[in-house]
Amino acid sequence: MTAERSVLPGRFSGLSIKLIATIMAVILLVEIVVYLPSLANYRASWLDDRLRVGVVAARVLDAVPDVMALPRELTDRLLTSAGAYAIVYRRQGQSQLIELADPFSPDVVVTADMRQRDLPSLIMGALDTLFAGPGRTLRIVGEGDIGSSQVELLMSERPLRQEMLAYSRQIGIVSLAIAAITAVALYLLASYLFIYPVRRLTQNILAFRQAPENASLVIVPSARRDEIGIVERELAAMESDLFSMLRQRRHLADLGLAVAKINHDLRNTLTSAQLLSDQVATLDDPKVQRLAPRLVTTLDKAIGFAQSVLDYGRETAALPVLAPVALRPLIDDAAFEARLVGHPHVVFSNGVDAALILTVDSNQLGRVFLNLLKNAREALEASNVAAPQVSVTTAESADSITISVSDNGPGLPPRARDNLFVAFEGSARAGGTGLGLAIAREITEAHGGKLVFVDQPQGTRFDLVLPLSLRVPN
Ligand SMILES: Nc1ncnc2c1ncn2[C@@H]1O[C@H](COP(=O)(O)OP(=O)(O)OP(=O)(O)O)[C@@H](O)[C@H]1O
Ligand SMILES: [Mg+2]
């Protein structure tokens, strides 16, 4: 519960701005891909238009035997209508030229050969024109209309470039407008469909986490049937579960506190009684001598019970503190504490590989084994099986490691079986509190594992199944 609290991002810093930016970027990218061929086509048809005038002029030139004899006025008009400085007509190795009266001197001449019409060269030509500086002269080459004739026009590149720039500007404006309109439309749609509901969920989760005892913060799910609708309904269910669990927990905690107080006083009273009984035991009276030991053990039991209840109450919800621990010595220690080591009758065997190392909370896991081994010893002591023994073994599967604690005692009594792992309920033993197995299971589950009772014809076996990921590879 220590995780930092998150803050909801502003209207345009979260999902929405990413969405708008992505949509606009994609549309503009698509526009560029479409723009290049269309610009190339625009230039090609512009050049074709000029060439057509050139071809008409060529037809005139073809018809007259001597170009020089043509009136100057006519040739000038032909040239200006094509916007050209000069027109050259070539046919069967001969060429004829008309040019403007004012002489011109081209510095840089670029050739636009309109007989080459593949898309890459058209695009390259268009880019060349667009990025060239002003002042170049364009030489447009194309086929004439008769046989293998050829027409050439010489003209300034400027008008073409200016028209192409204007065309590009237009496309740019239209593209931006399309991108903006689409982005806004998609944004509105996405806002309505996703962003708004996700923000509502996020806001609700943030608010609920701050005050989970406030039932009015439980989200009211909408009637949507899609994934978001499912999330809303599940969240509502989770929040109401959490709300009632918290309330229940608070009540239990209050009750527990009261029990702990009563229990604490009880234990103190019992301890005073124990002191008294110890003194009574020193009296010489034979009757007292006979009864005193029973009084002492009864009081011992009562104090033990009060103590373990107090311990359980103090059992905090502490997270396991994980560190690599050798399992074999851990179990040896637990067996020693459970008074199994050096026991006069019960034989204890620890079959755990000395090299086995697990990443666990050694105190908590030691407690699990202590409880299991103590139960086994108590069961064996209370029964009269021949050659009583307790053993611990391990087995590994693809994803888990199982540690089994088994004995050859009388097996679980029915009362214990019915309330297995239930605190205060599971005890079927005089003087038992019924906490051992409950605590053992809690600890195992906090480690991501499970504690299972394995039914078998003779004796008792508990399996501790831990995820294999806890094993430290050697
Ligand atoms: N190895 C076993 N063989 C036979 N019975 C067992 C064995 N382990 C547990 N039991 C039975 O299960 C009951 C519950 O065990 P658990 O450890 O939870 O409580 P407890 O031993 O009675 O009390 P506590 O451990 O809190 O002092 C025991 O009372 C006992 O009857
Ligand atoms: Mg026990």
Side-chain angles (χ1 to χ4, degrees):
M1 290 296 202
T2 50
E4 226 173 89
R5 299 204 184 282
S6 323
V7 184
L8 199 65
R11 200 112 191 67
F12 286 101
S13 54
L15 273 177
S16 43
I17 196 73
K18 284 183 201 156
L19 191 73
I20 293 186
T22 315
I23 296 172
M24 292 215 35
V26 169
I27 293 178
L28 288 179
L29 208 74
V30 171
E31 294 286 355
I32 289 176
V33 170
V34 176
Y35 160 73
L36 284 179
S38 75
L39 181 73
N41 275 332
Y42 180 82
R43 175 173 171 271
S45 57
W46 194 92
L47 293 173
D48 282 343
D49 282 351
R50 305 298 128 136
L51 262 180
R52 221 164 289 135
V53 181
V55 170
V56 172
R59 221 177 276 156
V60 175
L61 296 181
D62 207 30
V64 290
D66 183 11
V67 183
M68 289 305 165
L70 282 173
R72 186 84 249 173
E73 201 185 310
L74 176 64
T75 54
D76 275 6
R77 207 167 336 125
L78 265 177
L79 287 168
T80 39
S81 69
Y85 304 134
I87 298 179
V88 183
Y89 177 60
R90 294 182 210 280
R91 188 175 167 215
Q92 292 167 348
Q94 291 187 331
S95 60
Q96 290 186 326
L97 165 87
I98 49 171
E99 55 182 330
L100 283 178
D102 307 331
F104 77 101
S105 51
D107 326 322
V108 193
V109 179
V110 276
T111 303
D113 190 340
M114 295 319 286
R115 292 166 302 182
Q116 251 177 17
R117 307 199 68 104
D118 56 309
L119 195 60
S121 29
L122 285 181
I123 290 179
M124 289 312 290
L127 288 176
D128 182 51
T129 305
L130 202 62
F131 292 111
R136 299 202 308 185
T137 297
L138 199 59
R139 178 170 154 257
I140 312 170
V141 182
E143 271 164 26
D145 56 351
I146 317 161
S148 57
S149 59
Q150 181 186 318
V151 179
E152 284 179 35
L153 263 84
L154 284 170
M155 60 186 296
S156 164
E157 195 184 29
R158 227 175 117 224
L160 169 61
R161 185 159 173 273
Q162 264 166 358
E163 282 190 36
M164 278 169 70
L165 284 174
Y167 177 75
S168 302
R169 252 195 309 277
Q170 241 170 38
I171 290 210
I173 291 169
V174 170
S175 303
L176 273 176
I178 291 179
I181 292 171
T182 318
V184 167
L186 281 178
Y187 169 72
L188 289 180
L189 186 71
S191 289
Y192 172 69
L193 283 180
F194 310 112
I195 298 177
Y196 168 70
V198 169
R199 280 182 76 85
R200 190 169 91 96
L201 284 172
T202 321
Q203 256 158 358
N204 174 269
I205 291 173
L206 290 177
F208 187 80
R209 195 185 152 202
Q210 302 224 346
E213 316 82 18
N214 183 351
S216 72
L217 289 180
V218 172
I219 197 167
V220 183
S222 63
R224 293 172 72 130
R225 301 170 60 94
D226 56 9
E227 285 82 348
I228 288 184
I230 296 176
V231 171
E232 286 175 348
R233 280 191 291 282
E234 288 300 307
L235 183 67
M238 240 162 66
E239 286 176 347
S240 22
D241 283 356
L242 199 66
F243 169 77
S244 35
M245 259 159 62
L246 276 177
R247 176 167 280 186
Q248 199 179 27
R249 199 176 73 173
R250 214 186 33 239
H251 289 186
L252 279 178
D254 292 347
L255 276 181
L257 219 61
V259 170
K261 269 201 191 111
I262 297 168
N263 200 30
H264 190 261
D265 293 348
L266 184 68
R267 192 191 52 176
N268 290 346
T269 324
L270 286 172
T271 316
S272 327
Q274 193 185 32
L275 285 176
L276 272 177
S277 75
D278 286 347
Q279 295 213 338
V280 168
T282 58
L283 294 182
D284 280 343
D285 188 325
K287 256 193 190 159
V288 171
Q289 284 297 324
R290 194 156 44 82
L291 292 177
R294 273 163 61 191
L295 183 62
V296 171
T297 38
T298 315
L299 281 172
D300 276 351
K301 264 190 197 162
I303 291 173
F305 181 78
Q307 185 60 48
S308 46
V309 172
L310 275 181
D311 287 349
Y312 184 71
R314 277 197 207 109
E315 195 72 32
T316 48
L319 285 177
V321 181
L322 303 182
V325 182
L327 187 61
R328 194 183 161 88
L330 183 87
I331 285 176
D332 277 336
D333 288 348
F336 181 80
E337 237 187 291
R339 285 189 280 131
L340 266 176
V341 177
H343 194 277
H345 314 295
V346 182
V347 177
F348 171 68
S349 74
N350 183 350
V352 179
D353 185 354
L356 181 59
I357 295 182
L358 297 178
T359 311
V360 291
D361 185 315
S362 62
N363 280 333
Q364 293 192 359
L365 208 68
R367 187 94 183 268
V368 173
F369 290 114
L370 170 62
N371 288 344
L372 293 177
L373 293 171
K374 208 173 103 210
N375 281 351
R377 174 181 57 74
E378 285 162 354
L380 288 169
E381 281 173 345
S383 75
N384 45 8
V385 283
Q389 57 181 28
V390 181
S391 61
V392 180
T393 52
T394 58
E396 234 176 80
S397 77
D399 56 357
S400 64
I401 177 157
T402 303
I403 308 155
S404 312
V405 177
S406 32
D407 63 67
N408 60 351
L412 276 193
R415 187 180 140 70
R417 237 171 234 255
D418 295 343
N419 296 297
L420 206 59
F421 305 119
V422 183
F424 300 113
E425 292 285 338
S427 183
R429 188 168 66 75
T433 30
L435 285 177
L437 291 176
I439 292 175
R441 179 147 93 162
E442 244 174 45
I443 295 176
T444 319
E445 284 175 355
H447 278 79
K450 51 189 184 198
L451 182 64
V452 282
F453 165 65
V454 185
D455 211 353
Q456 44 187 24
Q458 232 263 298
T460 308
R461 180 174 142 202
F462 281 98
D463 276 3
L464 201 84
V465 187
L466 293 176
L468 196 61
S469 55
L470 291 182
R471 206 194 72 171
V472 178
N474 39 14

